[in-house]
Amino acid sequence: MTNTEAFDAVQIISIKRDKGTLTPEQIDWTIDAYTRGVIAEEQMAALNMAILLNGMDRAEISRWTSAMIASGERMDFSSLTKPDGGRKATSDKHSTGGVGDKITLPLAPLVAVFGVAVPQLSGRGLGHTGGTLDKLEAIPGWRANLSNDEIMAQLQDVGAVICAAGSGLAPADKKLYALRDVTGTVEAIPLIASSIMSKKIAEGTGSLVLDVKVGSGAFMKDEASARELAETMVALGKDAGVHTVALMTDMSTPLGLTAGNAIEVEESVEVLAGGGPEDVVELTVRLAEEMLAGAGIHDADPAAALKDGRAMDVWNRMIEAQGGDPRAALPVAKESEVVYAPADGVLVELDALSVGVAAWRLGAGRARKEDQVQAGAGVRMHAKPGALVRAGEPLMTLRTDTPGKFERAKEALQDAVVIAPEGSRPAHQLIIDRIA
């Protein structure tokens, strides 16, 4: 450390350790000094732990988020125009992640149908939660990495883009995220909220809808923590001048009937063709309504645009613009095994975490960022909670290219299913609350 530094790391750590409040200047210096390497990894790890244990107030979290945005570039979509020459509105969605959550795939082209630009900068999966980019890379030829110029051109021409975030957006977050991952501080709500929102605000969208998942397959297992996270992120969006709302949605059971990469793309295409599972359609339409409202459009009918093929047309153009062939056959795993219903009755529980772990163990996910995923691996579900099942009927089909993976995947599913007497009803409610 040199004498030119305005503060020192031990002083900053001590303030949060003693439940104090950091000033805006201290926060700006902390993020900048960590990005420059002046604050050592072990010092930032100690500060992260102090934040996890003692929290931050709204002003601190807001400034921390702004400092992370300031560590890199900000995208600007103000040059996007409508056919009449007016400025094109932008709207985006972020999900906190779950099992079978393929909503971004049909949602981005659906919102673009109504003339709103959707810059959906997405990520890859880690552990039991699937990544949007991993799913789309199952499409032959499709590429995730686009330059800023390519993103702008596609938003102007097609109206929607789903791609990887460039390294220039909130680089401090990338460094911080990796450290949180290995120091047991991932769960700190101020750090989760600022991590998500720094990237979304730097992305430059005019409005943002957050899908905050709650339940076994989600990052937030209980409703109180999910609500705190949702409220914190909505406040950060508002502080930054971005119209932000959040939906709290159930992730105790997987979304749709697939958890994997190629099979989730297949299911998304079914939704775009006017079919698909009811829960995926319901959430896609509801999020589309929120995104369109955020962009100032209140009279649209997204459900009709799914049924009449308009959203599918945008999907095909979006995939082709990124080098993919939307009509090409998707990869299919070489091996499959069936899991059968153990008894007669009503399926009342299908645990999202168990299904997610099974899909991960089959090869659909990764344990480390460097791991490769199998495009065709995953779990296809034949029944959802509420369905009447009979002993010996197929409940799930497991797919992988590596038959040695079946045993551990089946172990993950041992307690995944609860079957109750006929007449029973599952207690799940897909959309729990709206926070604005």
Side-chain angles (χ1 to χ4, degrees):
M1 197 175 79
T2 69
N3 295 329
T4 58
E5 298 296 336
F7 302 97
D8 70 79
V10 174
Q11 173 190 8
I12 302 293
I13 295 164
S14 301
I15 291 168
K16 290 314 295 180
R17 179 199 65 197
D18 298 337
K19 303 184 181 177
T21 302
L22 296 174
T23 66
E25 295 76 18
Q26 287 169 333
I27 290 171
D28 291 349
W29 177 83
T30 299
I31 297 299
D32 178 58
Y34 178 57
T35 307
R36 290 185 286 119
V38 170
I39 294 180
E41 295 292 325
E42 62 270 21
Q43 291 175 315
M44 188 53 101
L47 179 58
N48 284 351
M49 186 61 74
I51 291 169
L52 176 124
L53 296 174
N54 297 324
M56 281 179 148
D57 66 24
R58 175 170 174 172
E60 282 180 295
I61 303 171
S62 186
R63 190 64 176 224
W64 187 275
T65 304
S66 299
M68 293 212 295
I69 294 167
S71 73
E73 66 182 17
R74 290 187 76 149
M75 297 188 74
D76 180 4
F77 299 119
S78 59
S79 62
L80 295 174
T81 55
K82 296 189 286 190
D84 64 6
R87 183 173 166 182
K88 198 182 248 195
T90 51
S91 193
D92 190 13
K93 184 266 308 186
H94 177 81
S95 166
T96 55
V99 180
D101 184 5
K102 72 275 299 170
I103 301 296
T104 293
L105 279 64
L107 179 63
L110 175 59
V111 172
V113 164
F114 299 95
V116 175
V118 185
Q120 185 72 57
L121 306 189
S122 298
R124 302 187 184 280
L126 195 60
H128 76 276
T129 58
T132 298
L133 301 182
D134 297 321
K135 302 181 210 301
L136 286 165
E137 282 178 339
I139 300 171
W142 187 87
R143 63 190 181 98
N145 296 314
L146 303 180
S147 68
N148 285 358
D149 286 346
E150 286 174 316
I151 291 170
M152 291 296 288
Q154 188 169 321
L155 286 172
Q156 182 62 54
D157 180 42
V158 179
V161 62
I162 303 173
C163 64
S167 57
L169 290 180
D173 176 63
K174 191 178 239 181
K175 200 173 173 187
L176 259 176
Y177 188 92
L179 181 66
R180 286 165 51 216
D181 200 34
V182 296
T183 56
T185 53
V186 167
E187 290 80 6
I189 284 178
L191 301 179
I192 300 168
S194 57
S195 172
I196 291 169
M197 295 301 289
S198 63
K199 293 189 290 264
K200 286 296 171 187
I201 295 164
E203 182 193 290
T205 187
S207 63
L208 176 64
V209 179
L210 302 163
D211 180 1
V212 179
K213 303 290 188 194
V214 191
S216 76
F219 194 63
M220 293 296 172
K221 310 295 182 193
D222 65 277
E223 202 171 304
S225 337
R227 188 175 298 279
E228 184 185 347
L229 176 61
E231 288 172 349
T232 302
M233 291 196 293
V234 167
L236 286 173
K238 288 179 177 174
D239 288 348
V242 177
H243 179 280
T244 308
V245 300
L247 296 184
M248 289 172 56
T249 67
D250 178 66
M251 187 35 74
S252 55
T253 196
L255 262 171
L257 293 165
T258 57
N261 294 307
I263 55 176
E264 288 195 48
V265 174
E266 185 185 310
E267 188 167 89
S268 300
V269 171
E270 287 172 13
V271 171
L272 287 159
E278 283 180 22
D279 57 347
V280 178
V281 174
E282 179 186 347
L283 189 51
T284 301
V285 169
R286 180 64 190 276
L287 287 167
E289 289 169 347
E290 292 286 356
M291 288 174 71
L292 290 165
I297 298 173
H298 301 279
D299 56 354
D301 186 353
L306 279 180
K307 290 196 183 309
D308 64 21
R310 282 177 289 163
M312 179 71 92
D313 290 343
V314 178
W315 162 265
N316 289 336
R317 291 176 60 215
M318 181 181 77
I319 297 302
E320 286 167 352
Q322 289 171 244
D325 181 354
R327 293 163 190 84
L330 293 164
V332 177
K334 299 185 183 87
E335 308 287 339
S336 65
E337 273 202 27
V338 177
V339 174
Y340 297 97
D344 294 352
V346 175
L347 178 64
V348 289
E349 282 185 34
L350 178 59
D351 181 60
L353 178 59
S354 303
V355 173
V357 170
W360 171 30
R361 290 180 178 177
L362 289 165
R366 50 173 69 81
R368 298 169 308 148
K369 288 178 183 168
E370 311 78 50
D371 294 348
Q372 294 298 306
V373 298
Q374 292 183 23
V379 179
R380 187 180 293 280
M381 292 151 270
H382 304 297
K384 289 287 291 279
L388 196 61
V389 297
R390 295 279 173 253
E393 281 182 353
L395 266 190
M396 290 174 260
T397 300
L398 316 184
R399 302 202 68 103
T400 182
D401 291 331
T402 318
K405 293 181 180 287
F406 282 126
E407 209 49 49
R408 289 202 69 230
K410 287 189 287 188
E411 282 172 17
L413 294 167
Q414 278 178 351
D415 300 315
V417 170
V418 174
I419 294 173
E422 288 190 31
S424 304
R425 291 190 175 187
H428 305 300
Q429 174 186 353
L430 181 59
I431 297 170
I432 298 163
D433 203 358
R434 178 183 187 273
I435 293 164

